[in-house]
Amino acid sequence: VGTSLTVAPANTLVFRVPRTAMRVVINRDPVGRHLGIQYGDESRRDYFAAGDIDTTMLELMSLLGWTDELRPLLDDKQLPQTSA
């Protein structure tokens, strides 16, 4: 999430995800191919979501119907300013 995956410890996360789990990379550019992440039609477990982290995560929360649960946190200013 928002990393080039070239520097530890962020790049070690790729190997800590169980083989049965999906890996989603949210970043402005596709990264991690040198670590075995595969994007595209041939990929069965890796997904690339292009964009900045705040916008992409808010869109995902909206699609999942989580915005009603998030709203009280925003109203009470319980989230960091960059996330609000």
Side-chain angles (χ1 to χ4, degrees):
V1 176
T3 176
S4 64
L5 294 176
T6 58
V7 180
N11 64 358
T12 64
L13 295 174
V14 171
F15 304 111
R16 295 174 185 245
V17 178
R19 291 190 180 274
T20 57
M22 250 189 110
R23 298 184 295 191
V24 178
V25 175
I26 301 170
N27 205 13
R28 289 186 183 102
D29 302 302
V31 294
R33 288 192 173 102
H34 66 287
L35 298 170
I37 295 177
Q38 298 177 356
Y39 304 114
D41 295 336
E42 73 280 355
S43 178
R44 300 192 71 177
R45 69 180 292 217
D46 297 327
Y47 179 77
F48 175 65
D52 67 87
I53 187 69
D54 288 345
T55 304
T56 304
M57 289 306 295
L58 285 171
E59 182 179 337
L60 177 61
M61 287 184 242
S62 178
L63 290 170
L64 292 170
W66 295 352
T67 50
D68 288 341
E69 294 176 39
L70 181 64
R71 191 158 318 286
L73 297 173
L74 291 171
D75 293 344
D76 292 340
K77 301 193 186 317
Q78 293 182 29
L79 295 177
Q81 186 61 33
T82 57
S83 297

